[in-house]
Amino acid sequence: MSVPATAHTARVPPANPLGIHALVWVDHWDIASAELAIEQTARAGYALIELPMLDPGAVDAKRLRERITAAGLAARCSLGLTFDADISSEDPEIARRGEQRLVAALEAASTVGADMLAGVLYSALAKYSKPASQRGRRNAVDALGRLADRAASLGMTLGLEVVNRYESNVVNTAKDTLRLLDDIGRPNVTVHLDSYHMNIEEVDLHQPIIACGKRLGYVHVGANHRGYLGSGHLELAVLFRALVEVGYSGPITFEAFSAPAEPTGLFDTLAIWRRLWDDRGDLARAARLYMESQLVAARQAGLASGLPAAPTAG
Ligand code: MN
């Protein structure tokens, strides 16, 4: 069989670490909840836990690191900014508070042992009523450049999560975000894509991943309704094939959110008003099996279409 001529330099990547967001397991964020989430993540067969860094002082980061290491897990951290601490604001005081929050989150993430701070780092995670201004965007670019330099000194990377129009006005597509990366101009700033948001803003689940190529640093996989993976209408096989096509070897993290029985406020910014699932363990195990089987199929498709296999580790 002849191998078709291709512009790809990618190889079928080695198996991606599979992650899960800590708030699948718990409805509060304190040390007891964090420890429970770590234990359950390992038990459900995941390799990585994503920790929310909304309030970096809420949990003892050193203790978290010990628990994560003992559980044999890797960690990534994420947050979204708020209107009162927003680096895309034209108000220098609000922008300064936003930058302080990012620095605190970055330092806590480093202490926890995370290799990346991800999420909506460039603006509030909220619905804006106007487009972002040039000056606001410039403030965000400048602050992210400084944060990236700080991250580099800690051996860390930033992932800018592309979210839909109801959750930011600074970037909503991979294309917007690649332009933002160009303006920031730091090699350790990457695009963080999420199928839930891609469903709303992108033409499909393939093209944005190809557009990002090696600048893709992190991937969230969630259903269009944020429930059981594969139970919605997204063509996730397309997404997994694109990840193989660009040689993405980074973590793939499952996100799902369901309204807690007793509202805690933690899910309000994401507009989680419905209960889509109750059995956390079943949801998590089902999602891991789903992602594993999607990856196996996508890797076989990549090999069949002529991508070279990954070099064996050693
Ligand atoms: Mn996400």
Side-chain angles (χ1 to χ4, degrees), residues 7-8 10 174-175 178 191 193 198 202-216 219 238-248 307:
H8 295 295
K175 198 174 158 195
L178 288 167
V191 183
L193 289 176
M198 292 165 81
E202 306 280 6
V203 294
D204 58 33
L205 299 178
H206 179 264
Q207 176 273 329
I209 292 169
I210 305 305
C212 289
K214 292 297 174 201
R215 294 201 280 177
L216 181 63
V219 177
V238 170
L239 176 140
F240 281 96
R241 284 194 188 192
L243 293 176
V244 168
E245 208 176 314
V246 298
Y248 178 75
L307 282 182

PDB file of all heavy atoms in Angstrom, residues 7-8 10 174-175 178 191 193 198 202-216 219 238-248 307:
ATOM      1  N   ALA A   7       1.211  16.738   3.828  1.00  0.00           N
ATOM      2  CA  ALA A   7       1.991  17.857   4.387  1.00  0.00           C
ATOM      3  C   ALA A   7       2.275  17.634   5.869  1.00  0.00           C
ATOM      4  O   ALA A   7       2.987  18.405   6.490  1.00  0.00           O
ATOM      5  CB  ALA A   7       1.211  19.148   4.208  1.00  0.00           C
ATOM      6  N   HIS A   8       1.708  16.552   6.414  1.00  0.00           N
ATOM      7  CA  HIS A   8       1.869  16.349   7.857  1.00  0.00           C
ATOM      8  C   HIS A   8       3.298  16.010   8.231  1.00  0.00           C
ATOM      9  O   HIS A   8       3.941  15.199   7.581  1.00  0.00           O
ATOM     10  CB  HIS A   8       0.997  15.198   8.341  1.00  0.00           C
ATOM     11  CG  HIS A   8      -0.449  15.484   8.196  1.00  0.00           C
ATOM     12  ND1 HIS A   8      -1.066  16.479   8.885  1.00  0.00           N
ATOM     13  CD2 HIS A   8      -1.392  14.913   7.429  1.00  0.00           C
ATOM     14  CE1 HIS A   8      -2.329  16.499   8.543  1.00  0.00           C
ATOM     15  NE2 HIS A   8      -2.563  15.574   7.664  1.00  0.00           N
ATOM     16  N   ALA A  10       3.326  15.344  11.453  1.00  0.00           N
ATOM     17  CA  ALA A  10       2.885  14.714  12.695  1.00  0.00           C
ATOM     18  C   ALA A  10       3.039  13.204  12.628  1.00  0.00           C
ATOM     19  O   ALA A  10       3.061  12.620  11.556  1.00  0.00           O
ATOM     20  CB  ALA A  10       1.432  15.072  12.955  1.00  0.00           C
ATOM     21  N   ALA A 174     -10.798  29.580  17.896  1.00  0.00           N
ATOM     22  CA  ALA A 174      -9.362  29.273  17.849  1.00  0.00           C
ATOM     23  C   ALA A 174      -8.623  30.359  17.074  1.00  0.00           C
ATOM     24  O   ALA A 174      -7.528  30.773  17.458  1.00  0.00           O
ATOM     25  CB  ALA A 174      -9.157  27.908  17.200  1.00  0.00           C
ATOM     26  N   LYS A 175      -9.242  30.844  15.996  1.00  0.00           N
ATOM     27  CA  LYS A 175      -8.608  31.871  15.167  1.00  0.00           C
ATOM     28  C   LYS A 175      -8.352  33.145  15.981  1.00  0.00           C
ATOM     29  O   LYS A 175      -7.258  33.730  15.920  1.00  0.00           O
ATOM     30  CB  LYS A 175      -9.530  32.159  13.974  1.00  0.00           C
ATOM     31  CG  LYS A 175      -8.859  32.851  12.830  1.00  0.00           C
ATOM     32  CD  LYS A 175      -9.838  32.950  11.658  1.00  0.00           C
ATOM     33  CE  LYS A 175      -9.403  34.080  10.735  1.00  0.00           C
ATOM     34  NZ  LYS A 175     -10.476  34.450   9.795  1.00  0.00           N
ATOM     35  N   LEU A 178      -5.413  32.401  18.314  1.00  0.00           N
ATOM     36  CA  LEU A 178      -4.099  32.358  17.654  1.00  0.00           C
ATOM     37  C   LEU A 178      -3.591  33.778  17.425  1.00  0.00           C
ATOM     38  O   LEU A 178      -2.393  34.059  17.583  1.00  0.00           O
ATOM     39  CB  LEU A 178      -4.195  31.586  16.330  1.00  0.00           C
ATOM     40  CG  LEU A 178      -4.378  30.069  16.505  1.00  0.00           C
ATOM     41  CD1 LEU A 178      -4.771  29.408  15.190  1.00  0.00           C
ATOM     42  CD2 LEU A 178      -3.111  29.423  17.071  1.00  0.00           C
ATOM     43  N   VAL A 191      -2.979  27.450  22.999  1.00  0.00           N
ATOM     44  CA  VAL A 191      -4.442  27.457  22.892  1.00  0.00           C
ATOM     45  C   VAL A 191      -5.003  26.252  23.649  1.00  0.00           C
ATOM     46  O   VAL A 191      -4.472  25.148  23.558  1.00  0.00           O
ATOM     47  CB  VAL A 191      -4.900  27.390  21.414  1.00  0.00           C
ATOM     48  CG1 VAL A 191      -6.431  27.483  21.329  1.00  0.00           C
ATOM     49  CG2 VAL A 191      -4.252  28.493  20.593  1.00  0.00           C
ATOM     50  N   LEU A 193      -8.457  24.266  23.856  1.00  0.00           N
ATOM     51  CA  LEU A 193      -9.761  24.095  23.200  1.00  0.00           C
ATOM     52  C   LEU A 193     -10.683  23.218  24.034  1.00  0.00           C
ATOM     53  O   LEU A 193     -10.223  22.341  24.771  1.00  0.00           O
ATOM     54  CB  LEU A 193      -9.579  23.462  21.817  1.00  0.00           C
ATOM     55  CG  LEU A 193      -8.941  24.342  20.739  1.00  0.00           C
ATOM     56  CD1 LEU A 193      -8.737  23.535  19.456  1.00  0.00           C
ATOM     57  CD2 LEU A 193      -9.774  25.596  20.462  1.00  0.00           C
ATOM     58  N   MET A 198     -16.512  24.864  21.380  1.00  0.00           N
ATOM     59  CA  MET A 198     -16.337  24.726  19.929  1.00  0.00           C
ATOM     60  C   MET A 198     -17.685  24.479  19.255  1.00  0.00           C
ATOM     61  O   MET A 198     -17.961  24.982  18.162  1.00  0.00           O
ATOM     62  CB  MET A 198     -15.402  23.549  19.612  1.00  0.00           C
ATOM     63  CG  MET A 198     -13.960  23.772  20.048  1.00  0.00           C
ATOM     64  SD  MET A 198     -13.010  22.223  20.046  1.00  0.00           S
ATOM     65  CE  MET A 198     -12.607  22.072  18.307  1.00  0.00           C
ATOM     66  N   GLU A 202     -17.453  27.301  16.544  1.00  0.00           N
ATOM     67  CA  GLU A 202     -16.589  26.916  15.427  1.00  0.00           C
ATOM     68  C   GLU A 202     -17.412  26.259  14.310  1.00  0.00           C
ATOM     69  O   GLU A 202     -18.524  25.793  14.551  1.00  0.00           O
ATOM     70  CB  GLU A 202     -15.515  25.921  15.903  1.00  0.00           C
ATOM     71  CG  GLU A 202     -14.687  26.402  17.094  1.00  0.00           C
ATOM     72  CD  GLU A 202     -13.559  27.383  16.704  1.00  0.00           C
ATOM     73  OE1 GLU A 202     -13.491  27.783  15.521  1.00  0.00           O
ATOM     74  OE2 GLU A 202     -12.763  27.721  17.599  1.00  0.00           O
ATOM     75  N   VAL A 203     -16.832  26.189  13.116  1.00  0.00           N
ATOM     76  CA  VAL A 203     -17.572  25.557  12.017  1.00  0.00           C
ATOM     77  C   VAL A 203     -17.705  24.041  12.223  1.00  0.00           C
ATOM     78  O   VAL A 203     -18.690  23.435  11.811  1.00  0.00           O
ATOM     79  CB  VAL A 203     -16.948  25.833  10.627  1.00  0.00           C
ATOM     80  CG1 VAL A 203     -17.051  27.307  10.279  1.00  0.00           C
ATOM     81  CG2 VAL A 203     -15.505  25.366  10.553  1.00  0.00           C
ATOM     82  N   ASP A 204     -16.711  23.445  12.841  1.00  0.00           N
ATOM     83  CA  ASP A 204     -16.773  22.013  13.134  1.00  0.00           C
ATOM     84  C   ASP A 204     -15.755  21.704  14.235  1.00  0.00           C
ATOM     85  O   ASP A 204     -15.144  22.623  14.795  1.00  0.00           O
ATOM     86  CB  ASP A 204     -16.527  21.164  11.870  1.00  0.00           C
ATOM     87  CG  ASP A 204     -15.187  21.460  11.209  1.00  0.00           C
ATOM     88  OD1 ASP A 204     -14.207  21.776  11.934  1.00  0.00           O
ATOM     89  OD2 ASP A 204     -15.094  21.380   9.976  1.00  0.00           O
ATOM     90  N   LEU A 205     -15.567  20.435  14.528  1.00  0.00           N
ATOM     91  CA  LEU A 205     -14.656  20.047  15.617  1.00  0.00           C
ATOM     92  C   LEU A 205     -13.275  19.660  15.072  1.00  0.00           C
ATOM     93  O   LEU A 205     -12.436  19.172  15.819  1.00  0.00           O
ATOM     94  CB  LEU A 205     -15.255  18.874  16.411  1.00  0.00           C
ATOM     95  CG  LEU A 205     -16.604  19.144  17.088  1.00  0.00           C
ATOM     96  CD1 LEU A 205     -17.097  17.890  17.804  1.00  0.00           C
ATOM     97  CD2 LEU A 205     -16.502  20.308  18.068  1.00  0.00           C
ATOM     98  N   HIS A 206     -13.033  19.873  13.791  1.00  0.00           N
ATOM     99  CA  HIS A 206     -11.784  19.456  13.144  1.00  0.00           C
ATOM    100  C   HIS A 206     -10.907  20.653  12.812  1.00  0.00           C
ATOM    101  O   HIS A 206      -9.743  20.739  13.247  1.00  0.00           O
ATOM    102  CB  HIS A 206     -12.136  18.670  11.869  1.00  0.00           C
ATOM    103  CG  HIS A 206     -10.956  18.190  11.094  1.00  0.00           C
ATOM    104  ND1 HIS A 206     -10.441  18.881  10.017  1.00  0.00           N
ATOM    105  CD2 HIS A 206     -10.188  17.082  11.230  1.00  0.00           C
ATOM    106  CE1 HIS A 206      -9.408  18.208   9.533  1.00  0.00           C
ATOM    107  NE2 HIS A 206      -9.231  17.120  10.243  1.00  0.00           N
ATOM    108  N   GLN A 207     -11.472  21.604  12.079  1.00  0.00           N
ATOM    109  CA  GLN A 207     -10.700  22.719  11.532  1.00  0.00           C
ATOM    110  C   GLN A 207      -9.950  23.511  12.610  1.00  0.00           C
ATOM    111  O   GLN A 207      -8.774  23.861  12.419  1.00  0.00           O
ATOM    112  CB  GLN A 207     -11.656  23.589  10.689  1.00  0.00           C
ATOM    113  CG  GLN A 207     -11.070  24.859  10.097  1.00  0.00           C
ATOM    114  CD  GLN A 207     -11.145  26.030  11.061  1.00  0.00           C
ATOM    115  OE1 GLN A 207     -12.055  26.098  11.869  1.00  0.00           O
ATOM    116  NE2 GLN A 207     -10.168  26.913  10.992  1.00  0.00           N
ATOM    117  N   PRO A 208     -10.566  23.825  13.761  1.00  0.00           N
ATOM    118  CA  PRO A 208      -9.837  24.621  14.764  1.00  0.00           C
ATOM    119  C   PRO A 208      -8.585  23.909  15.292  1.00  0.00           C
ATOM    120  O   PRO A 208      -7.578  24.561  15.579  1.00  0.00           O
ATOM    121  CB  PRO A 208     -10.852  24.811  15.886  1.00  0.00           C
ATOM    122  CG  PRO A 208     -12.172  24.528  15.273  1.00  0.00           C
ATOM    123  CD  PRO A 208     -11.940  23.527  14.195  1.00  0.00           C
ATOM    124  N   ILE A 209      -8.662  22.590  15.402  1.00  0.00           N
ATOM    125  CA  ILE A 209      -7.515  21.823  15.908  1.00  0.00           C
ATOM    126  C   ILE A 209      -6.389  21.846  14.881  1.00  0.00           C
ATOM    127  O   ILE A 209      -5.212  22.049  15.228  1.00  0.00           O
ATOM    128  CB  ILE A 209      -7.959  20.376  16.238  1.00  0.00           C
ATOM    129  CG1 ILE A 209      -8.910  20.415  17.442  1.00  0.00           C
ATOM    130  CG2 ILE A 209      -6.760  19.473  16.501  1.00  0.00           C
ATOM    131  CD1 ILE A 209      -9.621  19.112  17.721  1.00  0.00           C
ATOM    132  N   ILE A 210      -6.735  21.702  13.609  1.00  0.00           N
ATOM    133  CA  ILE A 210      -5.736  21.770  12.537  1.00  0.00           C
ATOM    134  C   ILE A 210      -5.114  23.172  12.511  1.00  0.00           C
ATOM    135  O   ILE A 210      -3.895  23.318  12.353  1.00  0.00           O
ATOM    136  CB  ILE A 210      -6.374  21.434  11.167  1.00  0.00           C
ATOM    137  CG1 ILE A 210      -7.070  20.062  11.219  1.00  0.00           C
ATOM    138  CG2 ILE A 210      -5.331  21.493  10.048  1.00  0.00           C
ATOM    139  CD1 ILE A 210      -6.224  18.895  11.655  1.00  0.00           C
ATOM    140  N   ALA A 211      -5.956  24.201  12.678  1.00  0.00           N
ATOM    141  CA  ALA A 211      -5.451  25.585  12.661  1.00  0.00           C
ATOM    142  C   ALA A 211      -4.447  25.811  13.792  1.00  0.00           C
ATOM    143  O   ALA A 211      -3.447  26.499  13.619  1.00  0.00           O
ATOM    144  CB  ALA A 211      -6.615  26.566  12.761  1.00  0.00           C
ATOM    145  N   CYS A 212      -4.705  25.225  14.947  1.00  0.00           N
ATOM    146  CA  CYS A 212      -3.797  25.399  16.100  1.00  0.00           C
ATOM    147  C   CYS A 212      -2.514  24.600  15.919  1.00  0.00           C
ATOM    148  O   CYS A 212      -1.427  25.080  16.265  1.00  0.00           O
ATOM    149  CB  CYS A 212      -4.480  24.959  17.388  1.00  0.00           C
ATOM    150  SG  CYS A 212      -5.776  26.083  17.924  1.00  0.00           S
ATOM    151  N   GLY A 213      -2.615  23.392  15.413  1.00  0.00           N
ATOM    152  CA  GLY A 213      -1.426  22.554  15.224  1.00  0.00           C
ATOM    153  C   GLY A 213      -0.620  22.450  16.506  1.00  0.00           C
ATOM    154  O   GLY A 213      -1.147  22.122  17.570  1.00  0.00           O
ATOM    155  N   LYS A 214       0.670  22.765  16.404  1.00  0.00           N
ATOM    156  CA  LYS A 214       1.559  22.614  17.554  1.00  0.00           C
ATOM    157  C   LYS A 214       1.300  23.653  18.648  1.00  0.00           C
ATOM    158  O   LYS A 214       1.872  23.557  19.744  1.00  0.00           O
ATOM    159  CB  LYS A 214       3.021  22.710  17.113  1.00  0.00           C
ATOM    160  CG  LYS A 214       3.455  21.533  16.245  1.00  0.00           C
ATOM    161  CD  LYS A 214       3.364  20.224  17.024  1.00  0.00           C
ATOM    162  CE  LYS A 214       3.640  19.020  16.139  1.00  0.00           C
ATOM    163  NZ  LYS A 214       3.088  17.770  16.732  1.00  0.00           N
ATOM    164  N   ARG A 215       0.469  24.643  18.343  1.00  0.00           N
ATOM    165  CA  ARG A 215       0.169  25.639  19.383  1.00  0.00           C
ATOM    166  C   ARG A 215      -1.017  25.219  20.262  1.00  0.00           C
ATOM    167  O   ARG A 215      -1.435  25.965  21.143  1.00  0.00           O
ATOM    168  CB  ARG A 215      -0.071  27.010  18.739  1.00  0.00           C
ATOM    169  CG  ARG A 215       1.225  27.522  18.098  1.00  0.00           C
ATOM    170  CD  ARG A 215       1.209  29.014  17.909  1.00  0.00           C
ATOM    171  NE  ARG A 215       0.439  29.378  16.728  1.00  0.00           N
ATOM    172  CZ  ARG A 215       0.212  30.652  16.360  1.00  0.00           C
ATOM    173  NH1 ARG A 215       0.685  31.648  17.078  1.00  0.00           N
ATOM    174  NH2 ARG A 215      -0.469  30.911  15.278  1.00  0.00           N
ATOM    175  N   LEU A 216      -1.541  24.035  20.018  1.00  0.00           N
ATOM    176  CA  LEU A 216      -2.584  23.491  20.892  1.00  0.00           C
ATOM    177  C   LEU A 216      -1.913  22.922  22.134  1.00  0.00           C
ATOM    178  O   LEU A 216      -1.060  22.035  22.032  1.00  0.00           O
ATOM    179  CB  LEU A 216      -3.367  22.394  20.152  1.00  0.00           C
ATOM    180  CG  LEU A 216      -4.508  21.747  20.919  1.00  0.00           C
ATOM    181  CD1 LEU A 216      -5.593  22.759  21.265  1.00  0.00           C
ATOM    182  CD2 LEU A 216      -5.103  20.591  20.117  1.00  0.00           C
ATOM    183  N   VAL A 219      -6.709  20.298  25.981  1.00  0.00           N
ATOM    184  CA  VAL A 219      -8.017  19.989  25.413  1.00  0.00           C
ATOM    185  C   VAL A 219      -8.979  19.564  26.515  1.00  0.00           C
ATOM    186  O   VAL A 219      -8.654  18.698  27.332  1.00  0.00           O
ATOM    187  CB  VAL A 219      -7.898  18.848  24.359  1.00  0.00           C
ATOM    188  CG1 VAL A 219      -9.270  18.472  23.821  1.00  0.00           C
ATOM    189  CG2 VAL A 219      -6.970  19.268  23.217  1.00  0.00           C
ATOM    190  N   VAL A 238     -14.618  13.053  15.246  1.00  0.00           N
ATOM    191  CA  VAL A 238     -13.958  14.045  14.380  1.00  0.00           C
ATOM    192  C   VAL A 238     -12.874  14.776  15.166  1.00  0.00           C
ATOM    193  O   VAL A 238     -11.759  14.998  14.682  1.00  0.00           O
ATOM    194  CB  VAL A 238     -15.021  15.037  13.839  1.00  0.00           C
ATOM    195  CG1 VAL A 238     -14.368  16.216  13.144  1.00  0.00           C
ATOM    196  CG2 VAL A 238     -16.002  14.327  12.923  1.00  0.00           C
ATOM    197  N   LEU A 239     -13.203  15.139  16.403  1.00  0.00           N
ATOM    198  CA  LEU A 239     -12.241  15.844  17.256  1.00  0.00           C
ATOM    199  C   LEU A 239     -11.040  14.955  17.577  1.00  0.00           C
ATOM    200  O   LEU A 239      -9.886  15.381  17.444  1.00  0.00           O
ATOM    201  CB  LEU A 239     -12.955  16.292  18.542  1.00  0.00           C
ATOM    202  CG  LEU A 239     -12.095  16.972  19.603  1.00  0.00           C
ATOM    203  CD1 LEU A 239     -12.879  18.137  20.218  1.00  0.00           C
ATOM    204  CD2 LEU A 239     -11.695  16.009  20.707  1.00  0.00           C
ATOM    205  N   PHE A 240     -11.284  13.712  17.951  1.00  0.00           N
ATOM    206  CA  PHE A 240     -10.172  12.827  18.311  1.00  0.00           C
ATOM    207  C   PHE A 240      -9.276  12.555  17.095  1.00  0.00           C
ATOM    208  O   PHE A 240      -8.054  12.512  17.212  1.00  0.00           O
ATOM    209  CB  PHE A 240     -10.697  11.530  18.924  1.00  0.00           C
ATOM    210  CG  PHE A 240     -11.097  11.705  20.369  1.00  0.00           C
ATOM    211  CD1 PHE A 240     -12.415  11.962  20.729  1.00  0.00           C
ATOM    212  CD2 PHE A 240     -10.148  11.645  21.381  1.00  0.00           C
ATOM    213  CE1 PHE A 240     -12.783  12.143  22.057  1.00  0.00           C
ATOM    214  CE2 PHE A 240     -10.501  11.822  22.715  1.00  0.00           C
ATOM    215  CZ  PHE A 240     -11.822  12.073  23.048  1.00  0.00           C
ATOM    216  N   ARG A 241      -9.899  12.426  15.915  1.00  0.00           N
ATOM    217  CA  ARG A 241      -9.081  12.218  14.706  1.00  0.00           C
ATOM    218  C   ARG A 241      -8.203  13.429  14.432  1.00  0.00           C
ATOM    219  O   ARG A 241      -7.043  13.292  14.045  1.00  0.00           O
ATOM    220  CB  ARG A 241      -9.977  11.942  13.502  1.00  0.00           C
ATOM    221  CG  ARG A 241     -10.521  10.531  13.524  1.00  0.00           C
ATOM    222  CD  ARG A 241     -11.100  10.193  12.178  1.00  0.00           C
ATOM    223  NE  ARG A 241     -11.792   8.910  12.247  1.00  0.00           N
ATOM    224  CZ  ARG A 241     -12.192   8.242  11.189  1.00  0.00           C
ATOM    225  NH1 ARG A 241     -11.964   8.716   9.973  1.00  0.00           N
ATOM    226  NH2 ARG A 241     -12.808   7.087  11.322  1.00  0.00           N
ATOM    227  N   ALA A 242      -8.759  14.622  14.627  1.00  0.00           N
ATOM    228  CA  ALA A 242      -7.970  15.839  14.389  1.00  0.00           C
ATOM    229  C   ALA A 242      -6.802  15.916  15.375  1.00  0.00           C
ATOM    230  O   ALA A 242      -5.702  16.341  15.014  1.00  0.00           O
ATOM    231  CB  ALA A 242      -8.863  17.069  14.501  1.00  0.00           C
ATOM    232  N   LEU A 243      -7.032  15.500  16.619  1.00  0.00           N
ATOM    233  CA  LEU A 243      -5.950  15.517  17.615  1.00  0.00           C
ATOM    234  C   LEU A 243      -4.808  14.598  17.179  1.00  0.00           C
ATOM    235  O   LEU A 243      -3.629  14.949  17.311  1.00  0.00           O
ATOM    236  CB  LEU A 243      -6.482  15.099  18.991  1.00  0.00           C
ATOM    237  CG  LEU A 243      -7.477  16.056  19.648  1.00  0.00           C
ATOM    238  CD1 LEU A 243      -7.989  15.469  20.969  1.00  0.00           C
ATOM    239  CD2 LEU A 243      -6.842  17.427  19.888  1.00  0.00           C
ATOM    240  N   VAL A 244      -5.164  13.434  16.664  1.00  0.00           N
ATOM    241  CA  VAL A 244      -4.137  12.507  16.168  1.00  0.00           C
ATOM    242  C   VAL A 244      -3.441  13.115  14.951  1.00  0.00           C
ATOM    243  O   VAL A 244      -2.221  13.044  14.811  1.00  0.00           O
ATOM    244  CB  VAL A 244      -4.760  11.135  15.845  1.00  0.00           C
ATOM    245  CG1 VAL A 244      -3.774  10.256  15.067  1.00  0.00           C
ATOM    246  CG2 VAL A 244      -5.184  10.431  17.134  1.00  0.00           C
ATOM    247  N   GLU A 245      -4.230  13.756  14.092  1.00  0.00           N
ATOM    248  CA  GLU A 245      -3.691  14.323  12.855  1.00  0.00           C
ATOM    249  C   GLU A 245      -2.605  15.375  13.137  1.00  0.00           C
ATOM    250  O   GLU A 245      -1.612  15.450  12.412  1.00  0.00           O
ATOM    251  CB  GLU A 245      -4.832  14.959  12.063  1.00  0.00           C
ATOM    252  CG  GLU A 245      -4.617  14.988  10.572  1.00  0.00           C
ATOM    253  CD  GLU A 245      -5.838  15.549   9.844  1.00  0.00           C
ATOM    254  OE1 GLU A 245      -6.976  15.141  10.159  1.00  0.00           O
ATOM    255  OE2 GLU A 245      -5.644  16.410   8.993  1.00  0.00           O
ATOM    256  N   VAL A 246      -2.798  16.198  14.169  1.00  0.00           N
ATOM    257  CA  VAL A 246      -1.785  17.222  14.471  1.00  0.00           C
ATOM    258  C   VAL A 246      -0.704  16.700  15.416  1.00  0.00           C
ATOM    259  O   VAL A 246       0.195  17.435  15.814  1.00  0.00           O
ATOM    260  CB  VAL A 246      -2.398  18.521  15.063  1.00  0.00           C
ATOM    261  CG1 VAL A 246      -3.349  19.167  14.066  1.00  0.00           C
ATOM    262  CG2 VAL A 246      -3.069  18.283  16.411  1.00  0.00           C
ATOM    263  N   GLY A 247      -0.803  15.436  15.804  1.00  0.00           N
ATOM    264  CA  GLY A 247       0.218  14.861  16.684  1.00  0.00           C
ATOM    265  C   GLY A 247       0.107  15.366  18.113  1.00  0.00           C
ATOM    266  O   GLY A 247       1.105  15.429  18.834  1.00  0.00           O
ATOM    267  N   TYR A 248      -1.120  15.709  18.538  1.00  0.00           N
ATOM    268  CA  TYR A 248      -1.298  16.214  19.905  1.00  0.00           C
ATOM    269  C   TYR A 248      -1.058  15.094  20.920  1.00  0.00           C
ATOM    270  O   TYR A 248      -1.722  14.057  20.877  1.00  0.00           O
ATOM    271  CB  TYR A 248      -2.723  16.781  20.071  1.00  0.00           C
ATOM    272  CG  TYR A 248      -2.992  17.264  21.474  1.00  0.00           C
ATOM    273  CD1 TYR A 248      -2.442  18.453  21.924  1.00  0.00           C
ATOM    274  CD2 TYR A 248      -3.771  16.514  22.358  1.00  0.00           C
ATOM    275  CE1 TYR A 248      -2.663  18.895  23.223  1.00  0.00           C
ATOM    276  CE2 TYR A 248      -3.994  16.949  23.646  1.00  0.00           C
ATOM    277  CZ  TYR A 248      -3.432  18.139  24.079  1.00  0.00           C
ATOM    278  OH  TYR A 248      -3.645  18.572  25.364  1.00  0.00           O
ATOM    279  N   LEU A 307      -0.309   8.323   8.544  1.00  0.00           N
ATOM    280  CA  LEU A 307       0.528   8.977   9.554  1.00  0.00           C
ATOM    281  C   LEU A 307       1.497   7.942  10.112  1.00  0.00           C
ATOM    282  O   LEU A 307       1.099   6.823  10.422  1.00  0.00           O
ATOM    283  CB  LEU A 307      -0.331   9.505  10.714  1.00  0.00           C
ATOM    284  CG  LEU A 307      -1.094  10.804  10.504  1.00  0.00           C
ATOM    285  CD1 LEU A 307      -1.824  11.158  11.798  1.00  0.00           C
ATOM    286  CD2 LEU A 307      -0.161  11.923  10.115  1.00  0.00           C
TER     287      LEU A 307
END
